[in-house]
Amino acid sequence: MIRFLILFWLFCAISFGEVMLLKEYKDENLTGWVMSQKYDGVRAIWNGKELKSRNGNTINAPENFIKALPDFALDGELWSGVGEFEFITSTVLDEIPDDKAWERIKYMVFDLPRFDGNLYQKMDYLNSFLSSNPSEFISAIKQIEIKDNNHAFAFLDMVVANGGEGIVVRDPNAKYTSGRSSSILKLKKWRDSECEIVAINGGKGRLEGKMGSLECVDIFSKVAFKIGSGFSDEIRTNPPKIGTIITYKFQNLTKNNKPRFPIFLRVKRGE
């Protein structure tokens, strides 16, 4: 039995492994790279048989959604629209899939992890498959060749103006690798991170009797700071509990390494 469990664990590790992750754009020359919108959804990896989150947890999609997927590996984002992160996570991470809700979910594919070719060839192969096997659930993310860095920033401005969170830029000739890669970067107007709530402060004035702000500690830098904006009235009335991990955005860091102008984005849910 123990031998079986070890073999099963090894199979899962080989089948899914560690996925490719983005680094932050710093000041790289992006000429000749490609760019696309960054979709704020749930990362999903299809190995030809199973749909998993980036952490290897099973995503319980409806049968008709699974049947539409090919017999080759895909990597992408489960997404339904701008500003719908809470709907996406509540739908995708449910143990019992809601068929009606899943009708709004699309698999926005940006890579074919096991395909031996550059990104253009990968997307051509996927689009060829979709031409012969049309599906309302799968979409190959369009990749735009970057003329220069100004071209990328103009595209970023357009995406953000339409409600998007940012863009992804990548070297189309780079191989799919495990872990964080310098060949695929996220480019945003704002930076983001995650923090743990350590205290809840009451509000004053119109917020009397509600949450005014949260005392947080960034889970990466361990720096303590306060978040007082970005909350809906509903969240201020029923704030997340102490110990909850939340995602926030900020402009940059102060000289004391504290986030400047931190704004609440959402409660982080497990994948």
Side-chain angles (χ1 to χ4, degrees), residues 82-101:
V82 172
E84 295 190 0
F85 183 79
E86 291 301 323
F87 165 77
I88 298 165
T89 54
S90 64
T91 299
V92 169
L93 302 181
D94 276 351
E95 291 187 12
I96 301 176
D98 181 335
D99 290 6
K100 190 67 178 176

Side-chain angles (χ1 to χ4, degrees), residues 82-267:
V82 172
E84 295 190 0
F85 183 79
E86 291 301 323
F87 165 77
I88 298 165
T89 54
S90 64
T91 299
V92 169
L93 302 181
D94 276 351
E95 291 187 12
I96 301 176
D98 181 335
D99 290 6
K100 190 67 178 176
W102 269 89
E103 290 178 0
R104 292 172 53 187
I105 301 293
K106 288 189 179 296
Y107 193 10
M108 310 297 293
V109 178
F110 52 71
D111 213 324
L112 277 61
R114 298 178 183 170
F115 188 92
D116 187 18
N118 63 33
L119 190 60
Y120 295 115
Q121 293 168 327
K122 291 179 178 182
M123 291 298 104
D124 284 346
Y125 187 81
L126 177 58
N127 282 316
S128 177
F129 168 82
L130 293 175
S131 294
S132 303
N133 304 272
S135 170
E136 58 183 315
F137 300 120
I138 311 171
S139 180
I141 295 178
K142 182 180 180 181
Q143 302 292 334
I144 303 169
E145 185 172 352
I146 301 173
K147 299 174 183 177
D148 53 35
N149 283 33
N150 289 333
H151 183 204
F153 278 98
F155 181 60
L156 172 64
D157 288 340
M158 183 187 72
V159 168
V160 172
N162 289 324
E165 67 160 330
I167 66 174
V168 174
V169 296
R170 60 186 300 185
D171 179 353
N173 295 310
K175 297 291 185 182
Y176 188 99
T177 57
S178 297
R180 302 226 172 253
S181 171
S182 299
S183 299
I184 179 168
L185 312 171
K186 55 185 174 182
L187 183 55
K188 299 181 177 182
K189 291 280 190 179
W190 292 73
R191 299 169 67 181
D192 59 46
S193 189
E194 295 170 359
C195 63
E196 180 181 354
I197 300 172
V198 296
I200 300 173
N201 301 319
K204 298 178 181 179
R206 78 171 188 87
L207 297 178
E208 187 73 34
K210 299 181 179 180
M211 181 265 288
S213 63
L214 297 175
E215 302 285 345
C216 298
V217 174
D218 189 279
I219 65 173
F220 303 106
S221 68
K222 307 304 180 184
V223 170
F225 62 99
K226 182 188 296 185
I227 299 179
S229 61
F231 305 105
S232 65
D233 287 341
E234 181 181 355
I235 291 177
R236 289 190 183 277
T237 303
N238 299 288
K241 297 178 181 179
I242 291 174
T244 301
I245 304 298
I246 63 173
T247 303
Y248 69 97
K249 68 178 183 178
F250 60 101
Q251 283 191 342
N252 48 40
L253 296 174
T254 68
K255 63 180 181 180
N256 296 320
N257 210 34
K258 290 182 180 288
R260 191 186 302 275
F261 306 122
I263 297 174
F264 170 82
L265 285 177
R266 55 183 172 266
V267 172

